[in-house]
Amino acid sequence: MTEEFTVEIPVQYRDLDPLGHVNNAVYVSYLETARVDYLEAVSDIAAEDISFVVANLEIDYERPITKADDPTVALWISHLGESSCTMDYEIRVDGAVAATAETTMVHVDPDTGRATPLPDDLRAQMEPSETVDQSS
């Protein structure tokens, strides 16, 4: 099994709702942080040069996250298509799943904004995490 990519995310006071829980929309920001860190790590692409857009996002909330928690976002590539990839995520606190999510990312030409095939070098860099099996 290929290892998943993980990022620790510090909870900021501004992340909290009036009940002291991380706001549901902030979970999506945590995914974005992990996704950008992943792409920078596997491809040496600077954040400002990332040519992916989110085409679809699904998230299931399992438990609240509070200021006292130290969440970690794990992500892995579950599918590579011609011009897109699917990233799966788990946001965890102390090993317990707080949320699961999936994004479909489309690689675009920055000049035209149109979908374009994943470059071979980027595909090769992303493939190792495609084999992660979360059921084991």
Side-chain angles (χ1 to χ4, degrees):
M1 177 174 102
T2 303
E3 288 189 37
E4 63 201 10
F5 183 83
T6 60
V7 177
E8 293 180 13
I9 308 284
V11 176
Q12 304 294 314
Y13 180 76
R14 68 175 178 252
D15 297 346
L16 305 176
D17 64 18
L19 297 176
H21 302 123
V22 170
N23 181 277
N24 65 303
V26 174
Y27 284 60
V28 178
S29 293
Y30 292 173
L31 302 178
E32 178 184 51
T33 296
R35 182 171 57 249
V36 169
D37 285 0
Y38 167 79
L39 289 169
E40 286 181 322
V42 302
S43 68
D44 296 323
I45 297 173
E48 61 272 10
D49 296 325
I50 293 173
S51 296
F52 280 100
V53 295
V54 177
N56 187 59
L57 165 69
E58 296 179 28
I59 187 165
D60 291 311
Y61 301 93
E62 305 291 333
R63 65 176 291 280
I65 299 173
T66 68
K67 179 73 173 104
D69 293 328
D70 295 313
T72 299
V73 179
L75 75 86
W76 58 96
I77 305 297
S78 60
H79 176 75
L80 281 174
E82 170 90 15
S83 61
S84 66
C85 68
T86 303
M87 294 182 174
D88 290 343
Y89 310 78
E90 285 185 351
I91 301 176
R92 303 173 185 148
V93 175
D94 296 328
V97 175
T100 58
E102 178 182 281
T103 57
T104 301
M105 308 297 298
V106 176
H107 187 260
V108 296
D109 179 310
D111 295 326
T112 66
R114 296 190 185 278
T116 185
L118 291 167
D120 291 339
D121 58 336
L122 181 58
R123 177 181 296 283
Q125 293 160 334
M126 294 175 76
E127 281 179 346
S129 65
E130 187 174 17
T131 60
V132 172
D133 179 5
Q134 291 299 305
S135 63
S136 51

